Amino acid sequence: DNREIAHGIDATKGEALEINPDENVTKKGLGQSVADLAGDLLLLGSELPVRQGAGTAISAVPPEQLVVMRRVSAETGVPWELLAAIASVESDFGRNMATSAAGAIGYGQFLPESWAAYGNGGDPYDYRDALPAMARYLTAHGAPADIPRAVYAYNHSWSYVALVLGRAASYA
């Protein structure tokens, strides 16, 4: 079985925490907001920051993209901070949209078959099409009710989940 299990610390209680992809992480009492999730889930060896200086990274989000992120968030319930974090990690807000070694394309680095399912005929290289597609993908996989599982579905790595949630918290 190649499924990854992340071990870490519940930063709010200092207790050991194990996250298995077969479990719903939110059942462990973690907060529902991305800031709460990132603050509660401190994975060892990850880039997940402790909640300090929150909101300082929002200036890194291109303003025209932030408008679309907030609109998509209002329409879908997927936090705009989560969309911003994924956009940052996947393509640096569209600055690096080279096809990945795995064949992922565009702003949200979708595999072509995933883009066909969630892109609604749009352009994967245009953030105005990619952000709603990202939200559709995330909602189809549990967001906003189970953000960690939805992010894990986007990229099957709990380290990726930690990175994205940490980055999302920096926008909150």
Side-chain angles (χ1 to χ4, degrees):
D1 189 349
N2 288 337
R3 289 177 298 169
E4 181 179 355
I5 297 177
H7 301 275
I9 303 167
D10 179 335
T12 61
K13 298 179 187 133
E15 298 172 353
L17 177 66
E18 181 177 279
I19 302 161
N20 184 317
D22 290 334
E23 295 178 15
N24 181 340
V25 177
T26 58
K27 287 183 182 174
K28 292 194 172 282
L30 299 177
Q32 288 300 300
S33 76
V34 277
D36 285 344
L37 285 166
D40 292 346
L41 184 61
L42 182 59
L43 293 178
L44 301 175
S46 75
E47 294 182 38
L48 184 65
V50 175
R51 276 186 279 179
Q52 51 190 12
T56 56
I58 194 169
S59 62
V61 182
E64 67 280 2
Q65 294 180 31
L66 182 58
V67 169
V68 175
M69 290 171 189
R70 286 186 166 150
R71 178 184 53 79
V72 170
S73 178
E75 292 170 355
T76 65
V78 174
W80 72 263
E81 299 93 339
L82 182 61
L83 296 171
I86 292 172
S88 171
V89 170
E90 294 296 343
S91 70
D92 190 22
F93 301 108
R95 292 180 194 98
N96 179 9
M97 294 192 281
T99 300
S100 76
I105 58 170
Y107 181 89
Q109 289 293 288
F110 279 90
L111 292 173
E113 56 273 15
S114 295
W115 182 258
Y118 298 99
N120 286 4
D123 179 355
Y125 296 90
D126 186 334
Y127 69 88
R128 291 168 292 240
D129 293 332
L131 287 164
M134 291 161 60
R136 283 190 290 275
Y137 186 94
L138 292 166
T139 57
H141 292 88
D146 191 347
I147 289 172
R149 181 167 299 283
V151 175
Y152 183 83
Y154 203 91
N155 183 322
H156 297 291
S157 163
W158 287 108
S159 295
Y160 176 85
V161 173
L163 174 62
V164 166
L165 293 180
R167 205 157 290 176
S170 74
Y171 301 131

